[in-house]
């Protein structure tokens, strides 16, 4: 079989490169040369040294001949900018950025806009999706959109491209997160190249690399690590990661992250995360209820499809002891907040609320009782703060209801309806035995008409004259214990 012109070209090129640039070690003898030839043709063969210098060289000035890091021209984002695509890659061994492991460089090729390559591999400059210029990225002032060259291991179906726009950096092989082959290219010439917008090798970057770098749930890095109120933080396209010596590195995404950001991150009462944000599954493990993350001093919870809310301190501890999102309260519907009088805290949930006063015990108010308490003004209303969780009580004939005691009264519930009793009427009800006495449970709130306050119970009514303070109890005929 007669060798084709391309095969003869590849064989000749690989031998020539072995003689001329083998010290650089950046091309496999045949495999990668075939890729490079298919992408750049005679430009690669005639000028391999100069082409290589354009793509990866020393120096950080615009006049040194090197290509800029993508994060320097892409808002700090370490990935190919809009209008470009991964065209090829090479690596440097022993890079400090990657903890001594290989560091990968991905060439981001400019797109060709409104024109083709006319049978060649590169479009005319007037069609490039970028313009040649010098980067302005702190110390990285290297060239942008200048080098008409392509290695060719990535996106090989895209035969037509513009010049190299910039370089993205990764500690994870590019074939694991981009459409690239494993055909290897190695050079140590750029092992020290960096930019202010690239992260260094830290506990956060090590965790990020184990997750898969750009191929992970977090996507590309955005700028370098920064110091927060506590610990360190790294931004990504799809999340953030936080770390300290005590907590280790943990990432947050989605609604959980949005809630944390709204609370000013580690400066919030939550401090730093101690888990990643993750799915919260139902008891059977096959139903996704939502998302959550744990922090040094609290938790963030998100019901699927809803915003996330944060709990901390005694409120969060009480919520967890009550079963958390899988318990009767369901998910939070608000972040922990101070009560209106400033002396307590509370949080609301799908099916209830938790209140505490000062440093006291936090009490759980179930569904209808919590709703009634809110309707009556909560801590600003006549009841004051709760002084018990919901307890079951039984009247004189065996009817059972749930009730919560408050500083100045009680709220009782049955069959989804709840009623509040307070003040002098509450005192009279208690004096006559409460729910187990002759009046039984309340079946209305305290109402006011003129100078009279009144409340209806199962077996009678209690009326209070506000002017005289006179309390009148009227029992229904046949009330338990009445003769």
């Amino acid at each position: 079989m007669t060798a084709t012109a391309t095969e003869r070209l590849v064989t000749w090129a690989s031998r020539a490169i072995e003689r001329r640039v083998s010290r650089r070690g950046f091309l496999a003898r045949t495999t990668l040369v075939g890729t490079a030839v298919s992408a750049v043709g005679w430009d690669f063969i005639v000028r391999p040294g100069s082409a290589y210098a354009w793509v990866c060289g020393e120096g950080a000035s615009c006049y040194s001949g090197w290509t800029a890091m993508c994060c320097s021209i892409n808002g700090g984002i370490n990935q190919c900018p809009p209008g470009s695509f991964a065209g090829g890659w090479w690596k440097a061994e022993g890079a400090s950025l990657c903890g001594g492991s290989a560091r990968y460089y991905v060439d981001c090729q400019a797109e060709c806009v409104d024109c083709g390559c006319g049978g060649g591999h590169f479009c005319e400059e007037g069609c490039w999706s970028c313009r040649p210029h010098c980067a302005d990225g702190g110390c990285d002032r290297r060239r942008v959109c200048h080098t008409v060259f392509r290695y060719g291991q990535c996106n090989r179906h895209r035969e037509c491209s513009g010049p190299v726009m910039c370089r993205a950096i990764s500690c994870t092989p590019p074939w694991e997160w981009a459409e690239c082959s494993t055909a290897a290219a190695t050079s140590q010439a750029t092992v020290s190249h960096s930019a202010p917008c690239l992260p260094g090798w830290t506990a956060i970057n090590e965790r990020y690399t184990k997750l898969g770098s750009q191929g992970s749930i977090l996507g590309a890095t955005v700028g370098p690590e920064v110091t927060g109120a506590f610990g360190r933080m790294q931004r990504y396209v799809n999340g953030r990661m936080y770390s300290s010596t005590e907590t280790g590195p943990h990432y947050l995404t989605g609604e959980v992250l949005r809630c944390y950001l709204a609370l000013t991150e580690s400066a919030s009462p939550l401090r730093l995360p101690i888990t990643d944000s993750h799915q919260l599954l139902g008891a059977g493990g096959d139903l996704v209820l939502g998302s959550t993350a744990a922090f040094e001093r609290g938790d963030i919870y998100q019901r699927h499809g809803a915003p996330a809310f944060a709990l901390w301190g005694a409120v969060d501890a009480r919520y967890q002891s009550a079963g958390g999102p899988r318990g009767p309260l369901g998910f939070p519907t608000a972040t922990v907040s101070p009560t209106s009088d400033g002396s307590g805290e509370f949080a609301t949930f799908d099916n209830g609320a938790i209140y505490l006063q000062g440093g006291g015990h936090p009490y759980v108010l179930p569904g209808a009782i919590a709703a009634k308490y809110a309707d009556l003004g909560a801590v600003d209303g006549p009841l004051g703060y709760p002084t018990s969780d919901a307890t079951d009580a039984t009247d004189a004939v065996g009817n059972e209801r749930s009730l919560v005691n408050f500083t100045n009264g009680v709220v009782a519930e049955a069959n989804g309806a709840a009623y509040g009793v307070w003040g002098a009427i509450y005192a009279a009800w208690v004096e006559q035995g409460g729910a187990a006495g002759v009046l039984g449970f309340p079946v209305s709130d305290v109402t006011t008409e003129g100078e009279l306050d009144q409340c209806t119970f199962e077996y009678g009514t209690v009326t209070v004259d506000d002017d005289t303070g006179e309390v009148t109890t009227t029992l229904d005929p046949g009330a338990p214990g009445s003769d």
Side-chain angles (χ1 to χ4, degrees), residues 65-362:
W66 307 102
T67 300
M69 306 294 182
C70 289
C71 64
S72 295
I73 66 166
N74 192 27
I77 303 174
N78 181 29
Q79 67 181 19
C80 292
S84 68
F85 64 93
W89 66 270
W90 78 97
K91 69 177 179 179
E93 300 286 357
S96 60
L97 174 69
C98 298
S101 298
R103 180 191 201 192
Y104 298 89
Y105 303 73
V106 173
D107 285 340
C108 298
Q109 307 289 146
E111 303 269 8
C112 295
V113 181
D114 298 330
C115 70
C117 289
H121 300 288
F122 298 102
C123 55
E124 296 294 328
E125 183 173 349
C127 302
W128 296 351
S129 60
C130 57
R131 61 176 182 80
H133 65 281
C134 302
D136 185 16
C139 67
D140 182 14
R141 300 180 180 273
R142 301 178 180 96
R143 296 185 177 186
V144 179
C145 194
H146 194 281
T147 306
V148 183
F149 172 77
R150 181 175 170 187
Y151 277 125
Q153 310 106 306
C154 304
N155 289 294
R156 295 187 63 184
H157 63 285
R158 305 183 68 157
E159 297 178 352
C160 182
S161 70
V164 179
M165 186 182 292
C166 59
R167 304 183 300 184
I169 308 299
S170 182
C171 298
T172 299
W175 61 84
E176 294 185 11
W177 53 270
E179 191 173 337
C180 299
S181 74
T182 59
T186 302
S187 172
Q188 298 302 108
T190 58
V191 69
S192 64
H193 284 205
S194 189
C197 49
L198 288 174
W201 186 251
T202 65
I204 288 179
N205 203 6
E206 183 177 7
R207 175 86 198 284
Y208 175 61
T209 301
K210 290 178 180 177
L211 289 171
S213 300
Q214 285 94 331
S216 72
I217 188 175
L218 296 169
T221 57
V222 181
E225 281 185 29
V226 297
T227 300
F230 295 92
R232 302 277 291 172
M233 183 274 291
Q234 173 67 57
R235 289 195 300 154
Y236 304 91
V237 171
N238 300 320
R240 296 191 181 194
M241 195 180 298
Y242 302 84
S243 181
S244 72
T245 303
E246 294 76 19
T247 64
H250 300 284
Y251 65 82
L252 303 177
T253 59
E255 289 297 324
V256 171
L257 175 59
R258 274 187 274 277
C259 177
Y260 190 53
L261 293 175
L263 291 170
T264 66
E265 302 175 276
S266 64
S268 73
L270 294 170
R271 295 280 289 267
L272 290 167
I274 57 174
T275 71
D276 301 329
S277 53
H278 57 280
Q279 288 184 334
L280 182 64
L281 303 178
D286 56 352
L287 178 65
V288 177
L289 302 179
S291 299
T292 187
F295 297 78
E296 290 180 284
R297 297 183 177 179
D299 296 88
I300 291 178
Y301 305 91
Q302 182 223 355
R303 179 162 38 88
H304 187 64
F309 300 102
L311 304 178
W312 53 79
V315 172
D316 187 40
R318 186 70 181 88
Y319 176 60
Q320 292 192 46
S321 71
R326 301 185 186 94
L329 286 171
F331 280 86
T333 57
T335 289
V336 173
S337 300
T339 52
S340 56
D341 65 358
S343 66
E345 291 182 322
F346 77 104
T348 57
F349 302 85
D350 290 330
N351 305 310
I354 295 177
Y355 281 81
L356 82 159
Q357 184 175 18
H361 183 80

